[in-house]
């Protein structure tokens, strides 16, 4: 009777408000260039991503840069934006205080003389990320790469799910979208290409 409103499209065929995307590729293939390109297109609120996906709305973007140094990043921004200069809708950080860290927790309780212990994985979100989202009114957060901002075991489903759940909590509170860049092994390291992810 009261349908949930459709989340607005940010980029056709790519992302809506409140969605989480993971882009996985081998190292040194251009992921950081793509991260900056996505940030640029969203900051402008127009144009085409990949030359055929229309950008539908302007967004404030937080680009968490974990591989480039400040000089390298500055050179890339100059190449991407040309004479346009700084993009006021993009905040870039090299701060490692935007991490999510997993921890193992244990609960013990005794009922009728029987002690039971339960172990589970939880995650802690460093306060810098939420503070930046609130302070700057961020719509989209780009983490490049995941390994820099995730302090946990990437091969553990439980740890990864606990970490992503914390990011999802920020989405539920603030409507933020996520683009997470993740390194995968080169296809030669696996029998089947899909195993690289």
């Amino acid at each position: 009777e009261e349908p949930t409103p459709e989340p607005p499209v940010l980029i056709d065929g790519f992302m809506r408000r409140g969605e989480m995307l993971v882009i996985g590729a081998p190292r040194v293939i251009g992921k950081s260039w793509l991260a900056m390109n996505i940030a640029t297109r969203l900051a402008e609120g127009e144009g085409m991503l990949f030359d055929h996906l229309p950008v539908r709305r302007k967004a404030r973007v937080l680009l968490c840069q974990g591989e480039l140094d400040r000089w390298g990043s500055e050179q890339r921004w100059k190449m991407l934006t040309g004479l346009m200069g700084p993009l006021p809708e993009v905040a870039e950080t090299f701060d490692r205080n935007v991490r999510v860290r997993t921890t193992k927790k244990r609960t013990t309780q005794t009922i009728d003389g029987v002690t039971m212990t339960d172990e589970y994985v939880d995650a802690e979100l460093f306060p810098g990320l939420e503070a930046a989202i609130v302070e700057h009114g961020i719509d989209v957060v780009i983490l490049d790469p995941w390994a820099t901002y995730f302090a946990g075991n990437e091969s553990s489903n439980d740890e990864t799910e606990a970490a992503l759940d914390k990011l999802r909590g920020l989405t539920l509170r603030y409507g933020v979208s996520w683009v997470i860049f993740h390194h995968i092994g080169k296809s030669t390291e696996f029998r089947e290409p899909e195993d690289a992810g």
Side-chain angles (χ1 to χ4, degrees):
E1 293 178 12
E2 296 179 22
T4 304
E6 184 177 321
V9 172
L10 298 175
I11 301 174
D12 271 356
F14 189 72
M15 179 172 48
R16 291 178 179 271
R17 184 161 174 81
E19 287 186 334
M20 181 179 288
L21 303 166
V22 177
I23 298 173
R27 292 180 182 275
V28 195
I29 203 165
K31 292 185 301 299
S32 294
W33 280 106
L34 178 57
M36 291 177 137
N37 198 351
I38 292 169
T40 301
R41 292 290 150 261
L42 287 170
E44 293 170 342
E46 58 187 24
M48 306 286 259
L49 182 65
F50 305 123
D51 285 333
H52 71 277
L53 299 177
V55 177
R56 294 295 178 195
R57 24 177 37 83
K58 195 171 192 168
R60 292 184 58 81
V61 181
L62 173 62
L63 173 57
C64 301
Q65 185 59 263
E67 291 190 320
L68 294 177
D69 61 17
R70 291 177 188 276
W71 183 87
S73 179
E74 184 178 318
Q75 299 312 304
R76 289 187 181 193
W77 282 118
K78 285 179 182 176
M79 285 188 259
L80 277 172
T81 60
L83 300 175
M84 189 169 69
L87 296 164
E89 301 296 326
V90 177
E92 184 176 25
T93 182
F94 300 85
D95 187 356
R96 301 300 172 100
N97 195 28
V98 296
R99 290 182 134 201
V100 57
R101 174 177 46 211
T102 57
T103 57
K104 292 188 178 166
K105 305 259 178 147
R106 179 181 294 176
T107 58
T108 304
Q109 68 179 24
T110 303
I111 301 173
D112 297 330
V114 177
T115 301
M116 294 178 284
T117 300
D118 184 32
E119 289 188 354
Y120 63 97
V121 174
D122 196 10
E124 170 193 10
L125 188 61
F126 286 28
L129 183 56
E130 185 167 5
I133 290 168
V134 172
E135 180 182 344
H136 298 288
I138 298 299
D139 301 305
V140 177
V141 177
I142 299 174
L143 298 177
D144 179 29
W146 175 243
T148 299
Y149 297 102
F150 173 55
N153 178 359
E154 292 180 20
S155 298
S156 166
N157 285 338
D158 290 342
E159 290 190 35
T160 301
E161 286 176 15
L164 293 177
D165 188 54
K166 291 298 179 185
L167 301 185
R168 180 72 180 139
L170 294 177
T171 294
L172 295 174
R173 286 195 294 283
Y174 306 111
V176 68
S177 302
W178 300 89
V179 181
I180 300 172
F181 286 84
H182 183 53
H183 294 136
I184 62 173
K186 296 194 183 293
S187 59
T188 56
E189 298 172 15
F190 303 92
R191 270 193 318 205
E192 301 294 334
E194 62 270 14
D195 291 338

